[in-house]
Structure formats: C-alpha cells, structure tokens
Amino acid sequence: GQQVMQIPQYQHVQEGEDFTTYCNSSTTLSNIQWYKQRPGGHPVFLIQLVKSGEVKKQKRLTFQFGEAKKNSSLHITATQTTDVGTYFCAGNQYGNKLVFGAGTILRVKS
Amino acid sequence: DSGVTQTPKHLITATGQRVTLRCSPRSGDLSVYWYQQSLDQGLQFLIQYYNGEERAKGNILERFSAQQFPDLHSELNLSSLELGDSALYFCASSVEDSSNEKLFFGSGTQLSVL
C-alpha cells in the first residue's frame, strides 16, 4: 500500500538555526499537505502543494513539492521557540485517502 | 478553534470495557475522519464517513466500529478494550469527500485503558 516516510524523526535545534523535514512517498502523489501539531494540541493544516516542482512560502516557512511528485520538504529559516511541535506531511495517491507521515518532532533551544 | 468538537476530552477505563467517543464536525462539513495517535506514533487513519455513509477504512480493528448520524455527528465505539488501545483519538472533518480537502481536527479524546 501507499507509504509516506518522513525524516528525521526528531530534531533539536538552537534558536535561530534552520530546520528541514523531508517527506518521501513510494508512489506518485496527487497532492501533499503539511500539518503542525503543537505539544498537547491537535494537528493544524499549514499548506497544500499540488503542482510538480511547486514552491510556496509562509513567512519563514518554505514548502517544496518534488518534480516527480514523490517527495516534499518543509524548511524553516531562523527557528523560533514558537516553532516547536510535530510537523506532519500527508499525501495521497490519486483517488485514495490521505496518508500521514510519522512526523518530525522539532524542539528549539533558546 | 477548528470548529470540530470532540467529547469527552479524557477517558479512563479498564480492560475489557466498551467506550464511545463522539465528534461533531464543523458546520457544513459532510466528511468525518477518525485517527488514532499513540505515543511516538503518527496519525493512523481508522475510518471515514461522508454524509452518513462509510467511505474508506484504514487500520481499524474489528473491535472498533463507527457511524455517522443524520445530523452528521459521528461516534467511534471501542469494545473489549486492551491496554494497547490507550491513545489519543482524533476526529477530523472536511467539506467534501475529495483528495484535495484539507482536514480540520478536533482537540482529541485521550483514552487510557488500565
């Protein structure tokens, strides 16, 4: 079945450092979504990427969708303590349901 | 506030028991999804309903069942509970049943089986 792998599982950075999480699918995706879950909270939708090679930015966050539509990344520039949480990618093969990656836990040391 | 309401927030019960988790989707949303999140685990998709009908099944155990009522609220029933069923159960909703729909998650029900 469809699988979405996400790395790293955990990252601890110094405030001000950059952070990147990667998402890889075993199959071509129709779209990919990113969610953020704060500690003790629930997942919150961040963004959706649909087009091959698409790049979207939200302030310090940059999202990319690979040319083959099998991988994606989320890059945070100059992390802040408010960025802590778990970042999930979620992708779906055409016609199928969203499959979530295992998530990357981000901790920021001030 | 996502607009998705889940009750109860916390549930503590014993092995072998049966519990019901409730979810009210955002106003206007027709799809309801149930996810299980265990410690150090991602979000495991359990089941989806759309406008009262089951649309997709994920890794849902036979001891678990769900339904969506005419008013679109949904219930997840967990029976013959085991220690390993302890987890955070999320409900999410979306407007339609499309692969491009973004999901709005509730705050979850933390289930502890002792």
Side-chain angles (χ1 to χ4, degrees), chain A residues 43-69:
Chain A
V44 175
F45 175 83
L46 293 177
I47 207 161
Q48 177 172 265
L49 304 172
V50 178
K51 299 176 184 176
S52 169
E54 189 170 13
V55 177
K56 286 189 177 180
K57 292 190 175 185
Q58 289 180 350
K59 297 183 181 177
R60 294 177 296 103
L61 277 61
T62 302
F63 303 84
Q64 292 188 328
F65 201 9
E67 293 290 340
K69 300 184 75 172

Side-chain angles (χ1 to χ4, degrees), chain A residues 4-74:
Chain A
V4 175
M5 310 300 291
Q6 195 172 349
I7 55 170
Q9 182 179 1
Y10 180 85
Q11 188 147 11
H12 194 170
V13 301
Q14 191 74 33
E15 188 174 20
E17 291 181 341
D18 292 356
F19 159 78
T20 305
T21 173
Y22 300 90
C23 188
N24 292 289
S25 169
S26 55
T27 58
T28 302
L29 302 171
S30 59
N31 64 75
I32 195 154
Q33 300 179 3
W34 286 90
Y35 291 78
K36 176 183 179 182
Q37 183 178 17
R38 294 181 185 275
H42 59 274
V44 175
F45 175 83
L46 293 177
I47 207 161
Q48 177 172 265
L49 304 172
V50 178
K51 299 176 184 176
S52 169
E54 189 170 13
V55 177
K56 286 189 177 180
K57 292 190 175 185
Q58 289 180 350
K59 297 183 181 177
R60 294 177 296 103
L61 277 61
T62 302
F63 303 84
Q64 292 188 328
F65 201 9
E67 293 290 340
K69 300 184 75 172
K70 284 188 174 184
N71 56 73
S72 180
S73 65
L74 158 59

Side-chain angles (χ1 to χ4, degrees), chain A residues 9 30-31 33 35 37 40-45 48 50 88 92-98 100-103 105, chain B residues 1-2 33 35 37 40-43 45 48 55-56 88 90 97-108:
Chain A
Q9 182 179 1
S30 59
N31 64 75
Q33 300 179 3
Y35 291 78
Q37 183 178 17
H42 59 274
V44 175
F45 175 83
Q48 177 172 265
V50 178
F88 292 99
N92 59 359
Q93 196 177 12
Y94 293 90
N96 289 344
K97 300 303 172 188
L98 272 179
F100 280 80
I105 299 171
Chain B
D1 182 15
S2 66
Y33 308 75
Y35 285 87
Q37 186 175 42
D40 298 326
Q41 293 274 330
L43 291 158
F45 170 66
Q48 180 215 353
R55 275 301 172 97
L88 187 52
F90 284 110
D97 177 31
S98 163
S99 60
N100 288 338
E101 293 285 318
K102 64 181 181 182
L103 303 184
F104 294 86
F105 284 80
S107 298

